[in-house]
Amino acid sequence: QVQLVESGGGLVQAGGSLRLSCAASGRISSINAMGWYRQGPGKQRELVASITSGGSTDYADSVKGRFAISRDNAKNTVYLQMNSLKPEDTAVYYCNADIANSAYRRRHYWGQGTQVTVSS
């Protein structure tokens, strides 16, 4: 059984910062790419940032220069540092990870989501 548990969401004012965390647990053989998605009210889910097992990163144009994704492989955890937050960043943020379990079956797992609300 593999689970992703997210934390760090909350309510902040525009210009503020938040740091999201997502920890994978269970009988894990390996974790490849990890990423953060978000879904705002009335919008489709979009990829915000991703990071490979080697540390290569990609970002949505809307967050470049403001957000930073990182990972701690020893803790099976991925982070999203969000700075200079804007009201349009308001969304539910979801963690995703490409994981092989102890039986070497590989699939993408999703966290439950954490709410980020940015007020003006």
Side-chain angles (χ1 to χ4, degrees):
Q1 186 178 2
V2 175
Q3 293 187 83
L4 301 180
V5 179
E6 299 150 324
S7 61
L11 174 64
V12 298
Q13 295 199 49
S17 298
L18 285 173
R19 191 192 195 204
L20 306 183
S21 299
C22 173
S25 63
R27 300 180 68 84
I28 296 169
S29 177
S30 63
I31 302 177
N32 295 304
M34 306 183 82
W36 289 95
Y37 292 73
R38 68 184 181 188
Q39 187 167 19
K43 300 178 180 179
Q44 294 203 84
R45 188 172 299 186
E46 64 174 346
L47 178 64
V48 177
S50 64
I51 185 167
T52 68
S53 60
S56 297
T57 59
D58 276 310
Y59 298 92
D61 287 342
S62 60
V63 307
K64 286 181 179 177
R66 299 189 297 120
F67 291 9
I69 189 170
S70 62
R71 62 192 288 169
D72 185 335
N73 292 331
K75 296 181 178 180
N76 289 335
T77 299
V78 63
Y79 306 93
L80 185 67
Q81 179 66 47
M82 304 186 293
N83 299 323
S84 301
L85 283 161
K86 304 174 181 179
E88 49 262 46
D89 295 319
T90 295
V92 178
Y93 284 71
Y94 297 90
C95 177
N96 180 271
D98 179 9
I99 297 174
N101 65 15
S102 59
Y104 303 101
R105 180 174 291 276
R106 185 169 162 178
R107 58 160 284 189
H108 288 267
Y109 292 85
W110 290 94
Q112 81 287 351
T114 184
Q115 177 70 47
V116 172
T117 302
V118 184
S119 64
S120 59

